[in-house]
């Protein structure tokens, strides 16, 4: 699978998890906890493979250098919010508000990747390289999840 398809699939999976949160209230502690565990795993794994495998290759290219730097900073904000959410009580309004802020940040990040970074990636990298990156990221996802979740 090519890298862009793999990353778009991850984006879709995360969007679906956020959607599952929408009808939930503070009283849905068990469901919120279970959904957050899935969301945390997906976002941590996704940012890991991007930063370890995908971004370093794109950072070397003039056309994608700046957007990669921005992506790394967006990942930082997402990770801070994830850590804060992980350490707070899921049954509070504050937790729900912070999750909403996380969702907005992830949406913005996904939009920039899909509308700017990925098309530029297809321009600067050969298809075989994009497939190779996808294979490496797929393998790294399995290793990372096995070691961390």
């Amino acid at each position: 699978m090519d890298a862009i398809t793999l990353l778009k699939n991850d984006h879709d999976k995360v969007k679906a998890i956020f959607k599952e949160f929408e009808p939930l209230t503070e009283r849905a502690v068990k469901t919120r906890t279970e959904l957050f565990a899935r969301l945390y795993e997906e976002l941590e794994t996704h940012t890991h493979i991007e930063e370890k495998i995908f971004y370093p290759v794109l950072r070397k290219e003039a056309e994608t250098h700046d957007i990669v730097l921005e992506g790394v900073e967006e990942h930082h904000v997402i990770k801070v919010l994830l850590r804060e959410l992980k350490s707070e009580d899921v049954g509070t309004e504050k937790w729900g508000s912070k999750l909403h802020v996380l969702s907005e940040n992830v949406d913005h990040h996904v939009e920039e990747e899909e509308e700017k970074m990925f098309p530029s990636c297809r321009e600067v990298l050969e298809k075989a390289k994009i497939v190779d990156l996808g294979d490496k990221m797929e393998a790294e996802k399995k290793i990372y999840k096995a070691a961390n979740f």
Side-chain angles (χ1 to χ4, degrees):
M1 173 181 309
D2 83 35
I4 294 169
T5 302
L6 182 142
L7 295 173
K8 281 184 175 181
N9 289 346
D10 283 359
H11 291 169
D12 291 345
K13 192 180 298 185
V14 167
K15 283 180 194 176
I17 295 170
F18 276 121
K19 195 126 185 88
E20 288 183 62
F21 275 108
E22 287 177 8
L24 303 177
T25 66
E26 294 83 24
R27 294 186 357 206
V29 172
K30 184 175 185 245
T31 306
R32 273 182 162 192
T33 301
E34 291 168 358
L35 282 175
F36 182 70
R38 286 178 35 217
L39 181 68
Y40 185 87
E41 179 179 336
E42 291 301 324
L43 286 172
E44 282 289 325
T45 303
H46 180 82
T47 58
H48 171 77
I49 64 169
E50 279 189 331
E51 290 175 9
K52 182 174 181 176
I53 298 167
F54 191 63
Y55 283 2
V57 172
L58 291 182
R59 191 173 180 174
K60 294 175 186 173
E61 304 293 334
E63 298 88 347
T64 51
H65 180 84
D66 290 345
I67 196 159
V68 167
L69 295 178
E70 187 177 331
V72 169
E73 293 307 316
E74 290 170 352
H75 280 185
H76 172 73
V77 171
I78 289 166
K79 289 175 184 181
V80 167
L81 289 167
L82 282 171
R83 280 193 303 274
E84 289 178 2
L85 283 162
K86 192 173 185 181
S87 66
E88 291 182 17
D89 180 0
V90 301
T92 65
E93 287 179 330
K94 180 181 178 183
W95 193 91
S97 295
K98 194 171 295 241
L99 180 74
H100 183 75
V101 171
L102 174 64
S103 176
E104 289 175 339
N105 275 271
V106 169
D107 282 347
H108 170 78
H109 178 73
V110 165
E111 183 180 312
E112 290 216 331
E113 282 190 344
E114 292 187 1
E115 292 181 10
K116 295 177 184 173
M117 184 185 291
F118 295 169
S120 294
C121 174
R122 291 209 188 275
E123 289 177 17
V124 298
L125 299 179
E126 294 179 10
K127 183 166 178 54
K129 179 65 175 175
I130 297 171
V131 170
D132 180 57
L133 288 171
D135 292 342
K136 288 178 180 171
M137 286 192 296
E138 203 163 28
E140 181 63 23
K141 273 178 87 164
K142 290 176 186 165
I143 293 166
Y144 187 79
K145 282 187 175 191
N148 294 285
F149 301 103

